C-alpha cells in the first residue's frame, strides 16, 4: 500500500463559526483541524513544544468548566517546558496558536498519558466542529459546518475514493459532499443549508470519477439536526475516507 | 501604550499572569504583554478588542501557509522492497513527524473506543495499556 491512512488528513474550512451569525464554510484551511480526543474527565491542560525555540507563540484555549460555563485563556509557550492552564476544564473546545511553531506542539491533560492532540509543526490548532448550537423548545434546528479531506500524499492519487460515516453515536449528524474537488462554497450562516448539497448517512463517492489526486481536497458538509427540545449532547462523529492505491 | 478595551466573548478570559477578565474592560496603561495577549485572543475569537488592537502580534494566514510548507519539507518518493511491496513515501520535515504521531495516537484511541463498544473487559484493558504505550512512544518520538 503506497498511500497510507496518515496521508488522508481532515482539515477545517476557512469559516467555522461558533455563533449563528457569519459565513460558514469556504475554502480549505490547512492550518487547522477539526479532530481531537475529548478529555475523559475534568483536568487542567498542559501545552508543550518539541522545539526549545518555540517561546514567542501563545496558545489560546477555550473550554467548558465543570459547571458548564465557558472559559478561555491565553498561555505563553515555553519551548520544551510544559505550561499549564489556570482553569480546570470539563471539556476542551478549541486551541489556537498565535503563530506556527517550529516544533510539534502537544496539548494534553495534566494527569495520565492522555494527549488531546498533537498540533503538527506549521499548523495553528484545532477545534470542535459543532459547539454552542442550541436546540429550540418547539422547532427542529439544523446547523451546517464544512470540513475537508485532503490527500497529502506527494505523488499518488487515491482512486475509487468514497467518504462515509464511520460512527455517529448521537445519531444527529448527516453529511453531503461538495459538487467538485477543491471547492470554496460557503453558506450565509451555520443555520442556512448550503446550496446544492444533499445530506444523508450513506457513503458518497468523491465527484469527478472518484479520484482524489495528490494534494487535492474534497469538501464535506455536516448537518447537525437538533429535534425540538433536544437535550444537551456531548458526543463525537467520525467520518472516513476510503479508496484504492497502487 | 494606548488604552486597551475589550469584551470577553467566551466566558472569563485569563490572560496568562496578566489577570482574569470577566466583563467589558478598559486598561488605560496596558503592559506590552497584555496588548500581545489581547491581539492573540481577539484573533482566536475569545475576546473582542474594541480599542487598542495591534494585530502585528498575530501571524497572518499567508505567512502561516508559508511556514507550513517549510515545515512539511520535501516529499520522499515511495520505494519498492525486494519482495515487490511498496515502502510508502513521506514528507521529511517536522510536520510529517507530528502528523504521523497524531495518526498513531488516533489509531490507539479508536481501538480503545471499539473495545469499549464491544464490552469485552480484557480487550478494554489491553487497549488501555496499548494507548499508554503509544502515548509514551509518540512523546519520545516528538522529543527526538
Amino acid at each position: 500500500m503506497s498511500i497510507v491512512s496518515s496521508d488522508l488528513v481532515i482539515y477545517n474550512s476557512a469559516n467555522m463559526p461558533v455563533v449563528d451569525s457569519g459565513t460558514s464554510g469556504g475554502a480549505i484551511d490547512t492550518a487547522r483541524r477539526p479532530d481531537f480526543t475529548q478529555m475523559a474527565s475534568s483536568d487542567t491542560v498542559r501545552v508543550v513544544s518539541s522545539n526549545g525555540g518555540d517561546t514567542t507563540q501563545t496558545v489560546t484555549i477555550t473550554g467548558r468548566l465543570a459547571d458548564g460555563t465557558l472559559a478561555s485563556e491565553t498561555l505563553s509557550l515555553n519551548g520544551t517546558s510544559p505550561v499549564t492552564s489556570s482553569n480546570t476544564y470539563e471539556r476542551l473546545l478549541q486551541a489556537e496558536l498565535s503563530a506556527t511553531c517550529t516544533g510539534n506542539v502537544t496539548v494534553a491533560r495534566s494527569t495520565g498519558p492522555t494527549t488531546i492532540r498533537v498540533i503538527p509543526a506549521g499548523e495553528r490548532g484545532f477545534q470542535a466542529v459543532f459547539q454552542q448550537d442550541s436546540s429550540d423548545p418547539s422547532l427542529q434546528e439544523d446547523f451546517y459546518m464544512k470540513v475537508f479531506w485532503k490527500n497529502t500524499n506527494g505523488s499518488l492519487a487515491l482512486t475509487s475514493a468514497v467518504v462515509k460515516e464511520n460512527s455517529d453515536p448521537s445519531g444527529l449528524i448527516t453529511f453531503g459532499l461538495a459538487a467538485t474537488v477543491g471547492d470554496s462554497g460557503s453558506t450565509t450562516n451555520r443555520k442556512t443549508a448550503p446550496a446544492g448539497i444533499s445530506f444523508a448517512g450513506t457513503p458518497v463517492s468523491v465527484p469527478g470519477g472518484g479520484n482524489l489526486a495528490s494534494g487535492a481536497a474534497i469538501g464535506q458538509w455536516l448537518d447537525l439536526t437538533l429535534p425540538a427540545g433536544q437535550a444537551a449532547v456531548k458526543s463525537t462523529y467520525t467520518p472516513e475516507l476510503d479508496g484504492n492505491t497502487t | 501604550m494606548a488604552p486597551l478595551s475589550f469584551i470577553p466573548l467566551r466566558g472569563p478570559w485569563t490572560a496568562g499572569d496578566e489577570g482574569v477578565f470577566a466583563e467589558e474592560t478598559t486598561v488605560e496603561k496596558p503592559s506590552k504583554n497584555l496588548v500581545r495577549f489581547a491581539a492573540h485572543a481577539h484573533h482566536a475569537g475569545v475576546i473582542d478588542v474594541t480599542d487598542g488592537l495591534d494585530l502585528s502580534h498575530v501571524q497572518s494566514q499567508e505567512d502561516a501557509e508559508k511556514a507550513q510548507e517549510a515545515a512539511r519539507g520535501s516529499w520522499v518518493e515511495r520505494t519498492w522492497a525486494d519482495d515487490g511491496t511498496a515502502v510508502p513515501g513521506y514528507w521529511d520535515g517536522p510536520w510529517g513527524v507530528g502528523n504521523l504521531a497524531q495518526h498513531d495516537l488516533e489509531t490507539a484511541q479508536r481501538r480503545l473506543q471499539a473495545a469499549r463498544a464491544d464490552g469485552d473487559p480484557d480487550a478494554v484493558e489491553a487497549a488501555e495499556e496499548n494507548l499508554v504505550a503509544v502515548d509514551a512512544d509518540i512523546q519520545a518520538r516528538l522529543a527526538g
Side-chain angles (χ1 to χ4, degrees):
Chain A
M1 178 175 291
S2 298
I3 291 180
V4 292
S5 54
S6 59
D7 290 339
L8 307 175
V9 178
I10 192 164
Y11 285 110
N12 281 9
S13 61
N15 304 287
M16 305 282 284
V18 297
V19 293
D20 293 344
S21 60
T23 303
S24 181
I28 189 172
D29 174 5
T30 58
R32 297 167 183 85
R33 301 198 197 187
D35 59 331
F36 63 98
T37 300
Q38 190 53 268
M39 302 165 68
S41 59
S42 294
D43 206 341
T44 53
V45 173
R46 63 181 165 81
V47 185
V48 63
S49 174
S50 64
N51 189 291
D54 288 328
T55 58
T56 59
Q57 301 89 342
T58 64
V59 59
T60 297
I61 56 181
T62 304
R64 287 194 185 275
L65 308 182
D67 65 359
T69 57
L70 284 167
S72 55
E73 61 189 291
T74 300
L75 301 164
S76 284
L77 288 191
N78 191 23
T80 55
S81 299
V83 294
T84 303
S85 68
S86 300
N87 295 319
T88 296
Y89 295 96
E90 181 267 340
R91 73 186 74 171
L92 208 58
L93 297 175
Q94 182 176 5
E96 170 79 11
L97 292 164
S98 62
T100 52
C101 289
T102 302
N104 293 293
V105 174
T106 298
V107 180
R109 287 180 55 194
S110 293
T111 55
T114 47
T115 299
I116 296 168
R117 201 186 206 299
V118 175
I119 303 173
E123 296 189 18
R124 294 284 288 272
F126 59 88
Q127 71 170 89
V129 174
F130 293 106
Q131 39 180 309
Q132 295 178 257
D133 306 272
S134 301
S135 65
D136 185 279
S138 53
L139 296 172
Q140 173 180 304
E141 298 275 11
D142 284 79
F143 298 87
Y144 303 92
M145 301 289 280
K146 187 184 187 187
V147 297
F148 279 86
W149 281 102
K150 181 173 181 176
N151 173 13
T152 69
N153 187 287
S155 58
L156 297 172
L158 185 73
T159 60
S160 304
V162 175
V163 176
K164 59 176 69 169
E165 180 183 288
N166 178 292
S167 71
D168 178 18
S170 72
L172 297 174
I173 296 176
T174 52
F175 76 93
L177 293 188
T180 58
V181 169
D183 86 309
S184 59
S186 61
T187 185
T188 310
N189 58 59
R190 69 180 185 178
K191 295 181 76 172
T192 302
I197 306 294
S198 299
F199 290 91
T202 50
V204 182
S205 293
V206 169
N211 292 332
L212 194 60
S214 164
I218 179 67
Q220 180 181 13
W221 282 97
L222 301 171
D223 174 3
L224 171 68
T225 301
L226 298 181
Q230 171 68 47
V233 177
K234 178 187 177 188
S235 189
T236 61
Y237 179 79
T238 307
E240 180 178 321
L241 172 62
D242 290 350
N244 295 337
T245 178
T246 57
Chain B
M1 198 70 71
L4 176 70
S5 298
F6 55 87
I7 305 166
L9 300 175
R10 307 198 75 193
W13 173 55
T14 304
D17 53 8
E18 298 285 326
V20 182
F21 305 93
E23 298 175 344
E24 185 170 353
T25 300
T26 295
V27 181
E28 292 297 334
K29 294 182 179 178
S31 68
K32 284 184 180 177
N33 223 24
L34 183 58
V35 172
R36 186 171 71 99
F37 280 1
H40 296 171
H42 176 92
H43 171 75
V46 303
I47 66 170
D48 179 23
V49 176
T50 55
D51 193 21
L53 178 63
D54 184 356
L55 283 177
S56 67
H57 293 292
V58 180
Q59 184 185 40
S60 69
Q61 183 73 6
E62 183 181 4
D63 286 347
E65 288 172 6
K66 288 177 183 173
Q68 183 179 126
E69 192 175 336
R72 198 161 285 194
S74 300
W75 177 254
V76 178
E77 290 289 351
R78 68 174 168 180
T79 55
W80 298 94
D82 291 342
D83 65 357
T85 57
V87 178
Y90 61 93
W91 294 98
D92 67 358
W95 178 88
V97 176
N99 184 57
L100 188 57
Q102 174 62 27
H103 172 266
D104 291 349
L105 186 69
E106 287 172 5
T107 302
Q109 284 160 339
R110 277 202 296 273
R111 176 179 162 183
L112 177 57
Q113 283 178 346
R116 284 177 174 155
D118 290 345
D120 178 352
D122 292 339
V124 171
E125 186 177 350
E128 286 175 342
E129 289 174 357
N130 177 64
L131 179 58
V132 171
V134 169
D135 197 81
D137 176 60
I138 67 167
Q139 290 309 318
R141 281 156 47 192
L142 293 177

